[in-house]
Amino acid sequence: MSPTTLLLPTYKQMLRTLTGLLDKAEAQQPDRAEQLLSASIASDMYPLATQLRFAAFQAQEAVFRLLGEPVPEALLAVAAEARDAGDAPGSIADARVRIDQALAFLDTLPDDCLDESGTTPITIDAPGRGIFDLTGAEYVRDWALPQFYFHVLMAYAILRGEGVDIGKADYVPHMFAYLRPETGIPA
Amino acid sequence: MSPTTLLLPTYKQMLRTLTGLLDKAEAQQPDRAEQLLSASIASDMYPLATQLRFAAFQAQEAVFRLLGEPVPEALLAVAAEARDAGDAPGSIADARVRIDQALAFLDTLPDDCLDESGTTPITIDAPGRGIFDLTGAEYVRDWALPQFYFHVLMAYAILRGEGVDIGKADYVPHMFAYLRPETGIPA
C-alpha cells in the first residue's frame, strides 16, 4: 500500500463519516444540534466544532507535507479557526463547509500523487515538545493516521455521549461497498 | 508500506499507549482506578474494560485473518470476555494481562509475516449486517485500522472524561523515538 492508497481513501471515507454523523445529529436533535458544537469529552478538551475542523485540516495538511510543499495560509487559517472554536463554534453549516472543502481538495489529487512520498523527510515542530524527524512512511503511520483518527473519534464520542444514536454502521459506512449483495440485511 | 510494516508497529505502539494510560489512571486516581473499568461514554456503550480487551483481541485477530488462519479459540474467548465485561469488568491487572498477551504474540511474528497478505481474500460476517468481501489491503485500511483506533480512542476518551490527566504525549509516546535530541523540552 502506498501512502496514496492508504491515506487518501482513509481521509475521504472518514470525512464522509463525519458528514453522516452531523446528518444524524441534526435529524435526531433538531433543536439542540447547533449546541452540540460546543460539547466536549471534558471541560478542558476541545469541543466538537474543533474536532471537526482539525480532521478537515489534517486531511489536507498531510498531503502538502508529504509532497514537500508549504501548507497554504488559507489552510493554516482552518487550524487557527479550529483552535478558536471554543469561543467561536460557528454553525453546523460552517463545519460542513470545512469538511466539504477538504473532500473537494482530496478529489483534485492524482491517484498516484503520494506514491513516492514514503522517503520524503518530514519535520514536525511541536511547540513545547521539540522537533521530530521522520520519513514520509513513518509520518503517515505514526503521526498522520493516529492524529486524524483521534479527531474523528473524539467527534464520534462527543456526539455519542450527548445522546445521538449512532453506531458502527455510521462509523464505517464505506464498508457497505464490500457487502455481498444477497447477504445484506435490511435495516 | 506492507501490511506488516503498517499494522504491526501500529498495534504495538497503541497497545503500549493503553498500558501507559492505565499507569496514569492508577497513579492519579489510586482509590478509584478499578471503578474506571466500568465507565463508558454513554450508558448504552461498552465500558473501558471492554474497549481494552477489544483492542487486545483485534490486534491479534487481524494477523490470523491476514495469514488465512482460523482465529484460535483462546483468542475468541478474549472477545467474549470483552463483550461480557459490562457485568464482569475484572481488575486493571486483568486488563493488563490481555494487553501484555497481545504484545507478546505480536513480538513472536517474523518481520515480513504479512508482506504477501495484501491480496488475501478476507470475509467478514457481521451479524445483523451481512457478509463483506475484501482484499487483505482493503481489510487493513478500511476495517482493521478504523476498528482498532476506535477501541483505543474510546478508552482514551473514557479516561479523559473521568478526569484522568492525559494528553497528546500519552497518546503517541512512540513519537519520542523521532525527537531531535537537542530540541527536547524537559517536561
Side-chain angles (χ1 to χ4, degrees):
Chain A
M1 233 174 319
S2 77
T4 325
T5 56
L6 171 60
L7 216 48
L8 299 193
T10 298
Y11 284 153
K12 291 182 195 180
Q13 290 167 178
M14 286 291 149
L15 289 170
R16 288 189 206 112
T17 287
L18 292 176
T19 296
L21 297 180
L22 291 176
D23 291 345
K24 288 230 163 169
E26 290 195 301
Q28 293 176 22
Q29 302 192 12
D31 299 335
R32 195 171 161 261
E34 300 289 340
Q35 291 167 246
L36 295 176
L37 291 167
S38 297
S40 63
I41 293 295
S43 59
D44 57 347
M45 258 186 106
Y46 281 124
L48 177 60
T50 300
Q51 307 295 350
L52 297 170
R53 283 167 177 76
F54 274 150
F57 166 72
Q58 291 179 357
Q60 300 170 81
E61 178 202 25
V63 174
F64 287 103
R65 283 178 167 269
L66 288 165
L67 292 173
E69 296 177 11
V71 180
E73 287 296 327
L75 185 54
L76 293 173
V78 175
E81 184 182 283
R83 283 187 292 269
D84 293 343
D87 294 324
S91 64
I92 289 184
D94 295 334
R96 285 185 191 275
V97 167
R98 294 311 183 203
I99 295 169
D100 290 346
Q101 286 170 339
L103 283 166
F105 168 75
L106 294 167
D107 279 339
T108 66
L109 299 170
D111 283 346
D112 60 355
C113 64
L114 304 180
D115 284 2
E116 306 303 318
S117 71
T119 55
T120 301
I122 304 279
T123 299
I124 297 173
D125 190 346
R129 292 290 174 190
I131 294 175
F132 300 80
D133 298 297
L134 305 80
T135 66
E138 290 164 342
Y139 168 75
V140 167
R141 181 188 65 200
D142 298 339
W143 182 259
L145 280 176
Q147 296 301 333
F148 181 69
Y149 273 114
F150 184 95
H151 298 295
V152 169
L153 281 159
M154 288 307 124
Y156 182 98
I158 290 168
L159 289 171
R160 194 73 170 70
E162 295 293 326
V164 180
D165 182 20
I166 49 180
K168 207 45 80 61
D170 303 302
Y171 174 53
V172 286
H174 57 267
M175 285 296 292
F176 288 97
Y178 303 116
L179 181 67
R180 198 182 298 178
E182 69 275 15
T183 70
I185 292 148
Chain B
M1 232 174 320
S2 76
T4 327
T5 55
L6 171 59
L7 217 48
L8 299 194
T10 298
Y11 285 153
K12 291 182 195 179
Q13 290 167 177
M14 286 291 149
L15 289 170
R16 288 190 205 113
T17 286
L18 292 176
T19 297
L21 298 181
L22 292 176
D23 290 345
K24 287 229 163 169
E26 290 195 302
Q28 293 175 22
Q29 302 192 11
D31 298 336
R32 197 172 160 260
E34 300 289 341
Q35 290 167 247
L36 296 176
L37 291 168
S38 296
S40 62
I41 293 294
S43 58
D44 58 347
M45 259 187 105
Y46 282 123
L48 177 61
T50 300
Q51 308 295 350
L52 297 170
R53 283 167 177 78
F54 274 150
F57 166 72
Q58 290 180 358
Q60 299 171 82
E61 178 202 25
V63 174
F64 287 104
R65 282 177 167 269
L66 288 165
L67 292 173
E69 296 177 12
V71 180
E73 288 296 327
L75 185 53
L76 293 173
V78 175
E81 184 182 283
R83 283 188 293 270
D84 294 342
D87 294 325
S91 65
I92 289 184
D94 295 334
R96 286 185 191 275
V97 167
R98 294 310 182 204
I99 295 169
D100 290 345
Q101 286 171 338
L103 282 166
F105 167 75
L106 293 168
D107 279 339
T108 65
L109 299 169
D111 282 345
D112 59 355
C113 64
L114 303 180
D115 283 2
E116 306 303 317
S117 70
T119 55
T120 302
I122 304 280
T123 299
I124 299 173
D125 190 346
R129 294 287 174 192
I131 295 175
F132 299 81
D133 297 298
L134 305 81
T135 66
E138 291 164 342
Y139 169 75
V140 167
R141 181 188 66 200
D142 298 339
W143 183 260
L145 280 176
Q147 296 301 333
F148 180 71
Y149 274 114
F150 184 95
H151 298 296
V152 169
L153 281 160
M154 287 307 124
Y156 182 98
I158 290 167
L159 290 171
R160 193 71 170 70
E162 295 292 326
V164 180
D165 182 19
I166 49 180
K168 206 48 77 65
D170 303 300
Y171 174 53
V172 286
H174 56 268
M175 285 296 293
F176 289 97
Y178 302 117
L179 181 67
R180 198 183 299 177
E182 69 275 16
T183 70
I185 293 150

